[in-house]
Amino acid sequence: MQTANIALDLMDSQEFYQLMPRQGSLAEQFTTIVNSPPNPMRISQTRAVRIALLLFGDMNSLENRSLLVTFRKRMRELNVDYRLDTYNDSFDSEGDLTAYFKMADAQPDYIVMTKLGSVQRRFLERFLRSGNPKVILYDFASPLTHWRNHPPLMYIGFDQKKATIMLASYLERQLPEGIKISALVLPTGYLGHTRCDLFLDEMTKYNRHIDRIRAVSDDINSAYEATQILLKNNPPDFIFSCSQNISEGVVSALQAEGVGSKIQTNAWGLSANGMAGLKSRKLKASVLFMKDDLSIAVAEAIKLDLEGRNMPSLYVANSSLVPAELDSESLRLMVQQAHHYSVELWQK
């Protein structure tokens, strides 16, 4: 799918609520539920509800473990009788659809998809048309106009546009005039459009010139290698990282340069080193996403649906900016807030 087509097909939350005014108040009510102590199920179940969860990349990554810990804990607190089957798209072999066929054959009641690209989109469309199983999109909060007549049960994610504008505004205020900025961006796709393209547009508005822009895969090694190339000739003062994987690759390359390097980048959440990653002198700022709220929202959406209650089609969780200068105690509290169910996994 080309970037132009993505841009035309995606709505941000503001556009969505303008098109569907009733959704705004439902979203407010749902946000209150997510932020409140759990309220156990009101109905008795005749059987365990079957949930299929498709995870991407390394099944044992901190992100995936955190998602599972939080979801299971909230479902337990809600007293929902359920069976969870996890499937994995490891990205290793292009076109390996085994996990998708297995998931469809299992005939679950709910499919939770943790990434949405062209393959996942095609796979889900038949379920959206039939309404069975019901679909929840995790970490994707830009409703598709193409799906307006048969939407998923819920889009759950963050306002990437708002987060990117917030980061660009901070960097404009903090980075000295005239410094050299490079950017490592993602190829065409959801984040490539909602983050990378938007960041470059914002920098243009601020009359900030980006010296070199390189497109890389969304993985640590690709970013590491691309950073090494940037550092060879006329190195930049700041490297914009468009994803957390890219950020971790950039930081690794900068650390390999030695302590004398003053070059910095940005981050999108926590690294595998948890809070130590946020405190890294290589980071200028990080966008911290309230990630546990997404898993809580999935659990609450399933519970509301089982109870037959009204619910929104879109839930947008909060994100905040963490400057590098933040003191340790404030940082600890922010991480606790972002990962209040899974914080033990991140506190290193």
Side-chain angles (χ1 to χ4, degrees), residues 16-311:
F16 179 76
Y17 294 134
Q18 279 171 352
L19 269 174
M20 303 182 174
R22 187 169 164 269
Q23 284 285 326
S25 58
L26 286 173
E28 283 176 22
Q29 290 163 24
F30 187 73
T31 299
T32 302
I33 290 172
V34 170
N35 293 336
S36 300
N39 193 1
M41 274 271 279
R42 294 179 178 183
I43 60 161
S44 55
Q45 294 172 251
T46 53
R47 63 170 177 84
V49 65
R50 289 162 305 158
I51 302 161
L53 172 67
L54 188 64
L55 298 171
F56 289 80
D58 177 4
M59 288 285 274
N60 290 314
S61 71
L62 267 175
E63 284 279 332
N64 285 336
R65 281 161 52 212
S66 178
L67 188 168
L68 285 166
V69 162
T70 303
F71 176 71
R72 286 179 173 135
K73 186 172 180 183
R74 190 68 168 203
M75 288 292 270
R76 205 162 49 243
E77 291 172 342
L78 294 174
N79 203 23
V80 177
D81 184 11
Y82 74 101
R83 194 184 93 194
L84 178 67
D85 293 307
T86 55
Y87 301 85
N88 179 229
D89 184 339
S90 65
F91 298 126
D92 287 344
S93 48
E94 195 67 35
D96 180 4
L97 301 175
T98 312
Y100 298 88
F101 293 133
K102 280 185 182 171
M103 191 160 49
D105 289 345
Q107 297 185 309
D109 300 299
Y110 298 91
I111 289 177
V112 182
M113 186 68 69
T114 61
K115 202 174 245 68
L116 187 68
S118 53
V119 171
Q120 296 79 38
R121 185 172 170 168
R122 283 198 300 275
F123 170 72
L124 292 174
E125 282 187 334
R126 62 181 171 136
F127 303 127
L128 292 173
R129 280 194 293 273
S130 69
N132 186 40
K134 292 176 179 179
V135 174
I136 296 174
L137 290 179
Y138 173 98
D139 207 5
F140 193 94
S142 299
L144 275 68
T145 52
H146 185 65
W147 286 355
R148 218 178 128 194
N149 295 328
H150 46 267
L153 182 66
M154 199 180 286
Y155 295 91
I156 290 169
F158 301 98
D159 188 331
Q160 298 291 346
K161 184 176 173 182
K162 182 180 170 186
T164 304
I165 289 170
M166 178 170 64
L167 175 66
S169 171
Y170 178 78
L171 292 174
E172 158 59 16
R173 296 192 306 274
Q174 294 295 317
L175 295 175
E177 286 294 322
I179 69 163
K180 290 197 291 292
I181 303 173
S182 293
L184 294 184
V185 300
L186 292 166
T188 299
Y190 173 58
L191 283 184
H193 168 65
T194 56
R195 270 192 203 161
C196 315
D197 294 351
L198 180 59
F199 180 82
L200 298 176
D201 289 345
E202 288 296 298
M203 289 291 105
T204 302
K205 278 188 206 168
Y206 293 130
N207 293 316
R208 291 276 191 170
H209 177 64
I210 310 290
D211 288 318
R212 284 175 288 177
I213 302 168
R214 296 181 68 92
V216 296
S217 305
D218 190 13
D219 68 76
I220 293 170
N221 287 338
S222 298
Y224 183 91
E225 288 164 12
T227 305
Q228 286 184 314
I229 292 166
L230 288 175
L231 297 177
K232 270 180 189 161
N233 299 311
N234 197 18
D237 301 293
F238 182 84
I239 300 171
F240 169 69
S241 296
C242 190
S243 74
Q244 184 55 25
N245 282 334
I246 292 175
S247 176
E248 290 181 40
V250 172
V251 168
S252 293
L254 294 180
Q255 284 169 339
E257 275 290 286
V259 291
S261 173
K262 297 278 200 300
I263 304 166
Q264 291 183 301
T265 188
N266 62 285
W268 300 89
L270 294 179
S271 70
N273 296 321
M275 287 170 60
L278 279 182
K279 294 296 288 179
S280 165
R281 64 169 71 207
K282 304 300 178 193
L283 291 180
K284 184 74 182 163
S286 178
V287 177
L288 190 60
F289 296 107
M290 305 296 121
K291 264 291 171 72
D292 279 12
D293 287 352
L294 299 194
S295 304
I296 291 168
V298 174
E300 292 289 356
I302 290 169
K303 174 187 169 256
L304 285 182
D305 189 56
L306 290 172
E307 291 176 336
R309 290 168 64 197
N310 283 338
M311 56 199 287

